[in-house]
Amino acid sequence: ERGEYRHYMQKEIFEQPRAVADTLESRIGPHGVLPNIFGVGGDELLAKVRGVHIIACGTSYHAGLVAKYWIEEYARLPVAVEVASEYRYREAVVPADTLFVAISQSGETADTLAAMRESRRRGYLGTLAICNVPESSVVREADLKLMTRAGPEIGVASTKAFTTQLAALALLTLRLAHERGLDETRYLALCEQLQSLPRMIEQALQLEPEIQALAEHFIPRHHALFLGRGVQFPVALEGSLKLKEISYIHAEAYPAGELKHGPLALVDEDMPVVAVAPNGPLLDKLKSNLQEVRARGGELIVFADKAAPMDGNPSRGSVLRVDAGGEFIAPAVFTVPLQLLSYHVAVLRGTDVDQPRNLAKSVTVE
Ligand code: F6R
């Protein structure tokens, strides 16, 4: 039931604190990630992992891209991420002791399932499914599994499925990082940060009225550009996918450093540019990228970390403050305002938010 909400998508966006908390429940505690959360023999298998291949489609693929930044940074293991429809038809090289990870909300996506079947032939150490439907094909066929506990997702555009996938992938990252000798103090600090994620998402949801006001700017637009750097680049990709699929505004995402290598040519006063600006070593670089947009009259909408030193409002556009709650969980927190932005733009444009044209919730054909 939708209850007080206007659409399932809005309800599901607001269910995220609960869904993420459920996904972390009894899997992580004050001393770290609990044993045996990936199924029988999981910890033994994960101890042997020397590399990771992640396969998924759409939004689930974007979750995989975030995990690449995490696993490489904290566990120092090489990670490759690929969309399932490409992976299954090419001869990927599989180094010894590589873990195959399939990410899927439904567990029935044809390309993801076929990629997992194909992986059997390619000599992986084992397969892990990160999935929201326990009785699905992807889960049944995987060696190891970590269920997201988002509950049923009705809106075609994935929201709580994505943030719970990030929570599950964060648990995988921490397990691998601990195994690979991450400093104990740092490990425990990251565990604590992850446990604060439901609370930080709850806070981000409070931005809804401001975001709703911002959404007005997008009503007459035909295009939008999303920028991020580092681990926020996949968040920008996810933000642009959400806007495309429910509001039918053409949107593209770029790592901000690529702007001057082409897309800057598109920027004029009709091009809104949405940037995700967390605090961290890349902030100054991002700011100079944004300066390039400003100089061309582009309208800037910046979601900036509360802790990030930013000047006041740009001459055209706005800066919204988000409390990211720490570098590790920031991509999950910053996802929320972008979901709200797409949702309100779509509502204002009068599209069928829960059932966007031409799309199906579960893509069981190739
Ligand atoms: C976008 C969306 C799709 C799915 C994709 C994979 O909002 O929902 O891009 O993420 O079709 O679906 P699953 O995760 O069920 O394999």
Side-chain angles (χ1 to χ4, degrees):
E1 252 323 300
R2 274 191 286 115
E4 65 193 285
Y5 296 102
R6 187 161 167 195
H7 297 96
Y8 281 107
M9 183 179 176
Q10 189 186 28
K11 172 172 179 265
E12 288 160 2
I13 288 172
F14 278 83
E15 278 172 355
Q16 291 178 110
R18 173 81 279 153
V20 168
D22 286 348
T23 300
L24 298 176
E25 168 72 35
S26 67
R27 290 170 169 173
I28 185 168
H31 306 296
V33 178
L34 303 187
N36 298 320
I37 66 168
F38 299 92
V40 184
D43 292 349
E44 293 72 18
L45 193 142
L46 292 179
K48 295 189 208 134
V49 169
R50 291 295 172 269
V52 182
H53 284 180
I54 302 178
I55 268 66
C57 302
T59 288
S60 299
Y61 166 69
H62 296 154
L65 289 176
V66 171
K68 174 182 168 79
Y69 284 87
W70 281 346
I71 296 171
E72 294 206 344
E73 174 163 0
Y74 302 116
R76 309 297 299 146
L77 289 169
V79 181
V81 192
E82 193 167 5
V83 291
S85 54
E86 285 300 312
Y87 170 87
R88 59 183 287 200
Y89 292 114
R90 74 181 190 93
E91 287 304 322
V93 174
V94 182
D97 298 321
T98 302
L99 176 72
F100 178 95
V101 180
I103 310 171
S104 176
Q105 185 284 128
S106 61
E108 301 297 345
T109 300
D111 283 316
T112 306
L113 188 57
M116 200 165 93
R117 288 179 179 153
E118 173 62 24
S119 80
R120 294 278 173 213
R121 220 181 40 79
R122 295 184 179 180
Y124 285 91
L125 182 65
T127 55
L128 165 66
I130 291 182
C131 189
N132 196 41
V133 182
E135 57 281 4
S136 64
S137 309
V138 165
V139 172
R140 272 200 316 267
E141 296 187 22
D143 303 323
L144 306 179
K145 36 221 109 186
L146 185 60
M147 303 311 302
T148 53
R149 298 175 183 144
E153 195 179 58
I154 311 290
V156 164
S158 182
T159 54
K160 61 177 180 171
F162 179 70
T163 45
T164 55
Q165 284 167 351
L166 292 182
L169 289 162
L171 290 169
L172 175 65
T173 300
L174 291 171
R175 158 66 61 210
L176 292 171
H178 194 249
E179 204 55 61
R180 305 287 301 161
L182 179 72
D183 169 75
E184 186 72 11
T185 314
R186 194 162 177 225
Y187 169 70
L188 291 175
L190 292 174
C191 290
E192 199 181 319
Q193 213 186 106
L194 179 55
Q195 288 174 282
S196 74
L197 179 56
R199 192 158 38 82
M200 302 322 292
I201 292 179
E202 190 72 61
Q203 277 190 33
L205 289 168
Q206 309 304 313
L207 293 167
E208 188 177 37
E210 287 165 73
I211 294 171
Q212 193 168 6
L214 268 181
E216 310 251 351
H217 298 247
F218 287 78
I219 303 173
R221 303 295 187 193
H222 298 288
H223 308 276
L225 210 53
F226 285 71
L227 302 177
R229 292 197 71 127
V231 71
Q232 298 293 346
F233 167 55
V235 173
L237 280 171
E238 175 57 10
S240 78
L241 177 62
K242 286 290 92 91
L243 190 70
K244 266 184 273 215
E245 66 181 334
I246 61 168
S247 76
Y248 315 146
I249 293 174
H250 166 226
E252 285 195 68
Y254 275 92
E258 277 292 290
L259 205 53
K260 59 172 95 50
H261 300 287
L264 195 55
L266 290 170
V267 174
D268 62 12
E269 48 292 355
D270 293 324
M271 176 70 93
V273 177
V274 180
V276 187
N279 206 9
L282 287 173
L283 180 67
D284 283 331
K285 306 262 180 216
L286 180 81
K287 283 206 251 180
S288 74
N289 301 141
L290 296 184
Q291 199 46 50
E292 296 162 345
V293 171
R294 194 167 295 157
R296 276 126 194 121
E299 181 175 354
L300 266 178
I301 291 138
V302 185
F303 292 94
D305 193 310
K306 272 217 164 83
M310 302 282 294
D311 340 324
N313 271 13
S315 45
R316 281 195 78 217
S318 353
V319 177
L320 247 88
R321 292 294 181 165
V322 183
D323 190 348
E327 219 179 303
F328 181 40
I329 60 169
V333 179
F334 272 89
T335 296
V336 174
L338 297 185
Q339 294 169 339
L340 286 169
L341 179 66
S342 300
Y343 171 74
H344 284 289
V345 173
V347 170
L348 289 169
R349 283 169 63 100
T351 59
D352 189 348
V353 174
D354 286 332
Q355 285 288 330
R357 67 187 183 200
N358 311 340
L359 298 179
K361 182 65 186 164
S362 185
V363 186
T364 54
V365 291
E366 191 177 334

PDB file of all heavy atoms in Angstrom, residues 38 99-104 107 116 126-133 136-148 168:
ATOM      1  N   PHE A  38      27.790 -14.785   4.495  1.00  0.00           N
ATOM      2  CA  PHE A  38      27.676 -15.010   3.044  1.00  0.00           C
ATOM      3  C   PHE A  38      27.236 -16.445   2.726  1.00  0.00           C
ATOM      4  O   PHE A  38      27.239 -16.857   1.585  1.00  0.00           O
ATOM      5  CB  PHE A  38      29.012 -14.722   2.348  1.00  0.00           C
ATOM      6  CG  PHE A  38      29.464 -13.296   2.527  1.00  0.00           C
ATOM      7  CD1 PHE A  38      30.298 -12.939   3.589  1.00  0.00           C
ATOM      8  CD2 PHE A  38      29.025 -12.302   1.664  1.00  0.00           C
ATOM      9  CE1 PHE A  38      30.693 -11.618   3.769  1.00  0.00           C
ATOM     10  CE2 PHE A  38      29.412 -10.979   1.836  1.00  0.00           C
ATOM     11  CZ  PHE A  38      30.248 -10.633   2.899  1.00  0.00           C
ATOM     12  N   LEU A  99      36.819 -13.859  -7.679  1.00  0.00           N
ATOM     13  CA  LEU A  99      35.436 -14.068  -7.237  1.00  0.00           C
ATOM     14  C   LEU A  99      34.497 -13.418  -8.248  1.00  0.00           C
ATOM     15  O   LEU A  99      34.718 -12.282  -8.671  1.00  0.00           O
ATOM     16  CB  LEU A  99      35.243 -13.417  -5.855  1.00  0.00           C
ATOM     17  CG  LEU A  99      33.824 -13.444  -5.273  1.00  0.00           C
ATOM     18  CD1 LEU A  99      33.438 -14.852  -4.832  1.00  0.00           C
ATOM     19  CD2 LEU A  99      33.718 -12.461  -4.089  1.00  0.00           C
ATOM     20  N   PHE A 100      33.455 -14.147  -8.633  1.00  0.00           N
ATOM     21  CA  PHE A 100      32.429 -13.602  -9.534  1.00  0.00           C
ATOM     22  C   PHE A 100      31.263 -13.118  -8.676  1.00  0.00           C
ATOM     23  O   PHE A 100      30.715 -13.873  -7.881  1.00  0.00           O
ATOM     24  CB  PHE A 100      31.959 -14.698 -10.502  1.00  0.00           C
ATOM     25  CG  PHE A 100      30.875 -14.250 -11.450  1.00  0.00           C
ATOM     26  CD1 PHE A 100      31.200 -13.788 -12.720  1.00  0.00           C
ATOM     27  CD2 PHE A 100      29.532 -14.299 -11.087  1.00  0.00           C
ATOM     28  CE1 PHE A 100      30.209 -13.384 -13.608  1.00  0.00           C
ATOM     29  CE2 PHE A 100      28.533 -13.889 -11.964  1.00  0.00           C
ATOM     30  CZ  PHE A 100      28.869 -13.431 -13.226  1.00  0.00           C
ATOM     31  N   VAL A 101      30.895 -11.844  -8.839  1.00  0.00           N
ATOM     32  CA  VAL A 101      29.778 -11.294  -8.063  1.00  0.00           C
ATOM     33  C   VAL A 101      28.679 -10.834  -9.013  1.00  0.00           C
ATOM     34  O   VAL A 101      28.931 -10.013  -9.904  1.00  0.00           O
ATOM     35  CB  VAL A 101      30.225 -10.099  -7.184  1.00  0.00           C
ATOM     36  CG1 VAL A 101      29.052  -9.539  -6.377  1.00  0.00           C
ATOM     37  CG2 VAL A 101      31.360 -10.507  -6.241  1.00  0.00           C
ATOM     38  N   ALA A 102      27.482 -11.368  -8.849  1.00  0.00           N
ATOM     39  CA  ALA A 102      26.324 -10.899  -9.624  1.00  0.00           C
ATOM     40  C   ALA A 102      25.464 -10.050  -8.698  1.00  0.00           C
ATOM     41  O   ALA A 102      25.161 -10.468  -7.579  1.00  0.00           O
ATOM     42  CB  ALA A 102      25.516 -12.084 -10.144  1.00  0.00           C
ATOM     43  N   ILE A 103      25.082  -8.853  -9.182  1.00  0.00           N
ATOM     44  CA  ILE A 103      24.196  -7.987  -8.386  1.00  0.00           C
ATOM     45  C   ILE A 103      22.880  -7.852  -9.145  1.00  0.00           C
ATOM     46  O   ILE A 103      22.878  -7.476 -10.323  1.00  0.00           O
ATOM     47  CB  ILE A 103      24.803  -6.582  -8.177  1.00  0.00           C
ATOM     48  CG1 ILE A 103      26.242  -6.666  -7.664  1.00  0.00           C
ATOM     49  CG2 ILE A 103      23.946  -5.757  -7.217  1.00  0.00           C
ATOM     50  CD1 ILE A 103      26.957  -5.316  -7.640  1.00  0.00           C
ATOM     51  N   SER A 104      21.790  -8.173  -8.473  1.00  0.00           N
ATOM     52  CA  SER A 104      20.485  -8.061  -9.129  1.00  0.00           C
ATOM     53  C   SER A 104      19.390  -7.903  -8.092  1.00  0.00           C
ATOM     54  O   SER A 104      19.332  -8.674  -7.135  1.00  0.00           O
ATOM     55  CB  SER A 104      20.227  -9.319  -9.969  1.00  0.00           C
ATOM     56  OG  SER A 104      18.950  -9.283 -10.544  1.00  0.00           O
ATOM     57  N   GLY A 107      16.891 -10.841  -9.354  1.00  0.00           N
ATOM     58  CA  GLY A 107      17.482 -12.174  -9.468  1.00  0.00           C
ATOM     59  C   GLY A 107      16.985 -12.938 -10.689  1.00  0.00           C
ATOM     60  O   GLY A 107      17.252 -14.132 -10.835  1.00  0.00           O
ATOM     61  N   MET A 116      26.086 -15.274 -15.259  1.00  0.00           N
ATOM     62  CA  MET A 116      26.486 -16.121 -14.138  1.00  0.00           C
ATOM     63  C   MET A 116      26.677 -17.561 -14.595  1.00  0.00           C
ATOM     64  O   MET A 116      27.631 -18.237 -14.192  1.00  0.00           O
ATOM     65  CB  MET A 116      25.468 -16.040 -13.014  1.00  0.00           C
ATOM     66  CG  MET A 116      26.068 -16.484 -11.714  1.00  0.00           C
ATOM     67  SD  MET A 116      25.078 -16.008 -10.313  1.00  0.00           S
ATOM     68  CE  MET A 116      24.137 -17.465 -10.174  1.00  0.00           C
ATOM     69  N   GLY A 126      34.662 -18.825  -7.159  1.00  0.00           N
ATOM     70  CA  GLY A 126      33.292 -19.062  -6.713  1.00  0.00           C
ATOM     71  C   GLY A 126      32.419 -17.908  -7.137  1.00  0.00           C
ATOM     72  O   GLY A 126      32.915 -16.906  -7.669  1.00  0.00           O
ATOM     73  N   THR A 127      31.104 -18.068  -6.919  1.00  0.00           N
ATOM     74  CA  THR A 127      30.166 -17.012  -7.310  1.00  0.00           C
ATOM     75  C   THR A 127      29.397 -16.526  -6.081  1.00  0.00           C
ATOM     76  O   THR A 127      29.008 -17.316  -5.224  1.00  0.00           O
ATOM     77  CB  THR A 127      29.145 -17.526  -8.345  1.00  0.00           C
ATOM     78  OG1 THR A 127      28.495 -18.677  -7.795  1.00  0.00           O
ATOM     79  CG2 THR A 127      29.798 -17.895  -9.653  1.00  0.00           C
ATOM     80  N   LEU A 128      29.179 -15.221  -6.049  1.00  0.00           N
ATOM     81  CA  LEU A 128      28.406 -14.611  -4.959  1.00  0.00           C
ATOM     82  C   LEU A 128      27.250 -13.827  -5.575  1.00  0.00           C
ATOM     83  O   LEU A 128      27.464 -13.043  -6.508  1.00  0.00           O
ATOM     84  CB  LEU A 128      29.308 -13.663  -4.152  1.00  0.00           C
ATOM     85  CG  LEU A 128      28.606 -12.669  -3.204  1.00  0.00           C
ATOM     86  CD1 LEU A 128      27.886 -13.379  -2.061  1.00  0.00           C
ATOM     87  CD2 LEU A 128      29.618 -11.662  -2.625  1.00  0.00           C
ATOM     88  N   ALA A 129      26.044 -14.048  -5.067  1.00  0.00           N
ATOM     89  CA  ALA A 129      24.880 -13.276  -5.517  1.00  0.00           C
ATOM     90  C   ALA A 129      24.518 -12.243  -4.464  1.00  0.00           C
ATOM     91  O   ALA A 129      24.407 -12.565  -3.278  1.00  0.00           O
ATOM     92  CB  ALA A 129      23.688 -14.206  -5.749  1.00  0.00           C
ATOM     93  N   ILE A 130      24.346 -10.999  -4.914  1.00  0.00           N
ATOM     94  CA  ILE A 130      23.800  -9.950  -4.045  1.00  0.00           C
ATOM     95  C   ILE A 130      22.445  -9.616  -4.639  1.00  0.00           C
ATOM     96  O   ILE A 130      22.350  -9.124  -5.767  1.00  0.00           O
ATOM     97  CB  ILE A 130      24.738  -8.739  -3.971  1.00  0.00           C
ATOM     98  CG1 ILE A 130      25.987  -9.172  -3.206  1.00  0.00           C
ATOM     99  CG2 ILE A 130      24.049  -7.543  -3.288  1.00  0.00           C
ATOM    100  CD1 ILE A 130      27.010  -8.122  -2.977  1.00  0.00           C
ATOM    101  N   CYS A 131      21.398  -9.964  -3.920  1.00  0.00           N
ATOM    102  CA  CYS A 131      20.079 -10.021  -4.540  1.00  0.00           C
ATOM    103  C   CYS A 131      18.986  -9.730  -3.513  1.00  0.00           C
ATOM    104  O   CYS A 131      19.190  -9.904  -2.315  1.00  0.00           O
ATOM    105  CB  CYS A 131      19.918 -11.420  -5.131  1.00  0.00           C
ATOM    106  SG  CYS A 131      18.464 -11.604  -6.153  1.00  0.00           S
ATOM    107  N   ASN A 132      17.823  -9.307  -4.020  1.00  0.00           N
ATOM    108  CA  ASN A 132      16.729  -8.941  -3.114  1.00  0.00           C
ATOM    109  C   ASN A 132      15.645 -10.010  -3.022  1.00  0.00           C
ATOM    110  O   ASN A 132      14.730  -9.879  -2.230  1.00  0.00           O
ATOM    111  CB  ASN A 132      16.123  -7.602  -3.590  1.00  0.00           C
ATOM    112  CG  ASN A 132      15.281  -6.950  -2.528  1.00  0.00           C
ATOM    113  OD1 ASN A 132      15.648  -6.958  -1.339  1.00  0.00           O
ATOM    114  ND2 ASN A 132      14.145  -6.406  -2.911  1.00  0.00           N
ATOM    115  N   VAL A 133      15.724 -11.047  -3.870  1.00  0.00           N
ATOM    116  CA  VAL A 133      14.653 -12.061  -3.892  1.00  0.00           C
ATOM    117  C   VAL A 133      15.262 -13.435  -3.595  1.00  0.00           C
ATOM    118  O   VAL A 133      15.928 -14.023  -4.447  1.00  0.00           O
ATOM    119  CB  VAL A 133      13.919 -12.061  -5.254  1.00  0.00           C
ATOM    120  CG1 VAL A 133      12.792 -13.083  -5.253  1.00  0.00           C
ATOM    121  CG2 VAL A 133      13.381 -10.664  -5.582  1.00  0.00           C
ATOM    122  N   SER A 136      14.959 -16.449  -6.018  1.00  0.00           N
ATOM    123  CA  SER A 136      15.216 -16.167  -7.441  1.00  0.00           C
ATOM    124  C   SER A 136      16.271 -17.095  -8.034  1.00  0.00           C
ATOM    125  O   SER A 136      17.036 -17.744  -7.318  1.00  0.00           O
ATOM    126  CB  SER A 136      15.673 -14.719  -7.593  1.00  0.00           C
ATOM    127  OG  SER A 136      16.900 -14.553  -6.919  1.00  0.00           O
ATOM    128  N   SER A 137      16.322 -17.125  -9.358  1.00  0.00           N
ATOM    129  CA  SER A 137      17.278 -17.998 -10.071  1.00  0.00           C
ATOM    130  C   SER A 137      18.727 -17.643  -9.751  1.00  0.00           C
ATOM    131  O   SER A 137      19.555 -18.525  -9.534  1.00  0.00           O
ATOM    132  CB  SER A 137      17.066 -17.878 -11.583  1.00  0.00           C
ATOM    133  OG  SER A 137      15.714 -18.065 -11.895  1.00  0.00           O
ATOM    134  N   VAL A 138      19.042 -16.344  -9.728  1.00  0.00           N
ATOM    135  CA  VAL A 138      20.426 -15.932  -9.472  1.00  0.00           C
ATOM    136  C   VAL A 138      20.885 -16.439  -8.100  1.00  0.00           C
ATOM    137  O   VAL A 138      22.000 -16.949  -7.940  1.00  0.00           O
ATOM    138  CB  VAL A 138      20.583 -14.390  -9.596  1.00  0.00           C
ATOM    139  CG1 VAL A 138      21.890 -13.908  -8.998  1.00  0.00           C
ATOM    140  CG2 VAL A 138      20.474 -13.953 -11.058  1.00  0.00           C
ATOM    141  N   VAL A 139      20.019 -16.338  -7.114  1.00  0.00           N
ATOM    142  CA  VAL A 139      20.368 -16.798  -5.760  1.00  0.00           C
ATOM    143  C   VAL A 139      20.508 -18.319  -5.724  1.00  0.00           C
ATOM    144  O   VAL A 139      21.459 -18.851  -5.155  1.00  0.00           O
ATOM    145  CB  VAL A 139      19.311 -16.318  -4.730  1.00  0.00           C
ATOM    146  CG1 VAL A 139      19.558 -16.945  -3.364  1.00  0.00           C
ATOM    147  CG2 VAL A 139      19.325 -14.803  -4.638  1.00  0.00           C
ATOM    148  N   ARG A 140      19.567 -19.001  -6.370  1.00  0.00           N
ATOM    149  CA  ARG A 140      19.600 -20.470  -6.360  1.00  0.00           C
ATOM    150  C   ARG A 140      20.882 -21.012  -6.965  1.00  0.00           C
ATOM    151  O   ARG A 140      21.421 -22.008  -6.514  1.00  0.00           O
ATOM    152  CB  ARG A 140      18.408 -21.032  -7.145  1.00  0.00           C
ATOM    153  CG  ARG A 140      17.157 -21.219  -6.295  1.00  0.00           C
ATOM    154  CD  ARG A 140      16.190 -22.202  -6.954  1.00  0.00           C
ATOM    155  NE  ARG A 140      16.056 -21.961  -8.388  1.00  0.00           N
ATOM    156  CZ  ARG A 140      15.116 -21.185  -8.921  1.00  0.00           C
ATOM    157  NH1 ARG A 140      14.242 -20.582  -8.153  1.00  0.00           N
ATOM    158  NH2 ARG A 140      15.069 -21.022 -10.231  1.00  0.00           N
ATOM    159  N   GLU A 141      21.388 -20.317  -7.988  1.00  0.00           N
ATOM    160  CA  GLU A 141      22.534 -20.856  -8.721  1.00  0.00           C
ATOM    161  C   GLU A 141      23.894 -20.376  -8.202  1.00  0.00           C
ATOM    162  O   GLU A 141      24.927 -20.814  -8.702  1.00  0.00           O
ATOM    163  CB  GLU A 141      22.383 -20.523 -10.216  1.00  0.00           C
ATOM    164  CG  GLU A 141      21.158 -21.228 -10.802  1.00  0.00           C
ATOM    165  CD  GLU A 141      21.044 -21.068 -12.311  1.00  0.00           C
ATOM    166  OE1 GLU A 141      22.072 -20.801 -12.963  1.00  0.00           O
ATOM    167  OE2 GLU A 141      19.918 -21.226 -12.818  1.00  0.00           O
ATOM    168  N   ALA A 142      23.907 -19.476  -7.223  1.00  0.00           N
ATOM    169  CA  ALA A 142      25.189 -18.953  -6.732  1.00  0.00           C
ATOM    170  C   ALA A 142      25.742 -19.823  -5.613  1.00  0.00           C
ATOM    171  O   ALA A 142      24.991 -20.475  -4.891  1.00  0.00           O
ATOM    172  CB  ALA A 142      25.006 -17.525  -6.249  1.00  0.00           C
ATOM    173  N   ASP A 143      27.071 -19.813  -5.453  1.00  0.00           N
ATOM    174  CA  ASP A 143      27.691 -20.548  -4.338  1.00  0.00           C
ATOM    175  C   ASP A 143      27.427 -19.830  -3.025  1.00  0.00           C
ATOM    176  O   ASP A 143      27.121 -20.450  -2.014  1.00  0.00           O
ATOM    177  CB  ASP A 143      29.208 -20.637  -4.533  1.00  0.00           C
ATOM    178  CG  ASP A 143      29.592 -21.291  -5.847  1.00  0.00           C
ATOM    179  OD1 ASP A 143      28.880 -22.236  -6.252  1.00  0.00           O
ATOM    180  OD2 ASP A 143      30.568 -20.843  -6.477  1.00  0.00           O
ATOM    181  N   LEU A 144      27.605 -18.509  -3.051  1.00  0.00           N
ATOM    182  CA  LEU A 144      27.437 -17.705  -1.840  1.00  0.00           C
ATOM    183  C   LEU A 144      26.364 -16.658  -2.101  1.00  0.00           C
ATOM    184  O   LEU A 144      26.139 -16.274  -3.251  1.00  0.00           O
ATOM    185  CB  LEU A 144      28.742 -16.988  -1.485  1.00  0.00           C
ATOM    186  CG  LEU A 144      29.985 -17.846  -1.345  1.00  0.00           C
ATOM    187  CD1 LEU A 144      31.193 -16.959  -1.026  1.00  0.00           C
ATOM    188  CD2 LEU A 144      29.801 -18.904  -0.265  1.00  0.00           C
ATOM    189  N   LYS A 145      25.714 -16.185  -1.059  1.00  0.00           N
ATOM    190  CA  LYS A 145      24.695 -15.157  -1.242  1.00  0.00           C
ATOM    191  C   LYS A 145      24.650 -14.199  -0.078  1.00  0.00           C
ATOM    192  O   LYS A 145      24.927 -14.577   1.064  1.00  0.00           O
ATOM    193  CB  LYS A 145      23.309 -15.778  -1.456  1.00  0.00           C
ATOM    194  CG  LYS A 145      23.068 -17.034  -0.650  1.00  0.00           C
ATOM    195  CD  LYS A 145      22.329 -18.094  -1.463  1.00  0.00           C
ATOM    196  CE  LYS A 145      23.228 -19.255  -1.832  1.00  0.00           C
ATOM    197  NZ  LYS A 145      22.692 -20.256  -2.706  1.00  0.00           N
ATOM    198  N   LEU A 146      24.346 -12.974  -0.415  1.00  0.00           N
ATOM    199  CA  LEU A 146      24.096 -11.981   0.617  1.00  0.00           C
ATOM    200  C   LEU A 146      22.828 -11.254   0.176  1.00  0.00           C
ATOM    201  O   LEU A 146      22.831 -10.535  -0.831  1.00  0.00           O
ATOM    202  CB  LEU A 146      25.277 -11.010   0.745  1.00  0.00           C
ATOM    203  CG  LEU A 146      25.170 -10.004   1.894  1.00  0.00           C
ATOM    204  CD1 LEU A 146      25.063 -10.698   3.244  1.00  0.00           C
ATOM    205  CD2 LEU A 146      26.369  -9.055   1.898  1.00  0.00           C
ATOM    206  N   MET A 147      21.742 -11.476   0.899  1.00  0.00           N
ATOM    207  CA  MET A 147      20.464 -10.885   0.498  1.00  0.00           C
ATOM    208  C   MET A 147      20.390  -9.423   0.936  1.00  0.00           C
ATOM    209  O   MET A 147      20.747  -9.090   2.065  1.00  0.00           O
ATOM    210  CB  MET A 147      19.286 -11.647   1.125  1.00  0.00           C
ATOM    211  CG  MET A 147      19.230 -13.140   0.810  1.00  0.00           C
ATOM    212  SD  MET A 147      19.403 -13.534  -0.940  1.00  0.00           S
ATOM    213  CE  MET A 147      18.023 -12.605  -1.588  1.00  0.00           C
ATOM    214  N   THR A 148      19.904  -8.587   0.023  1.00  0.00           N
ATOM    215  CA  THR A 148      19.503  -7.245   0.441  1.00  0.00           C
ATOM    216  C   THR A 148      18.104  -7.436   1.027  1.00  0.00           C
ATOM    217  O   THR A 148      17.371  -8.310   0.584  1.00  0.00           O
ATOM    218  CB  THR A 148      19.456  -6.284  -0.759  1.00  0.00           C
ATOM    219  OG1 THR A 148      18.647  -6.855  -1.778  1.00  0.00           O
ATOM    220  CG2 THR A 148      20.849  -6.036  -1.316  1.00  0.00           C
ATOM    221  N   ALA A 168      25.052  -3.927   1.229  1.00  0.00           N
ATOM    222  CA  ALA A 168      25.575  -5.300   1.135  1.00  0.00           C
ATOM    223  C   ALA A 168      27.008  -5.292   0.592  1.00  0.00           C
ATOM    224  O   ALA A 168      27.881  -6.016   1.092  1.00  0.00           O
ATOM    225  CB  ALA A 168      24.664  -6.139   0.235  1.00  0.00           C
TER     226      ALA A 168
END
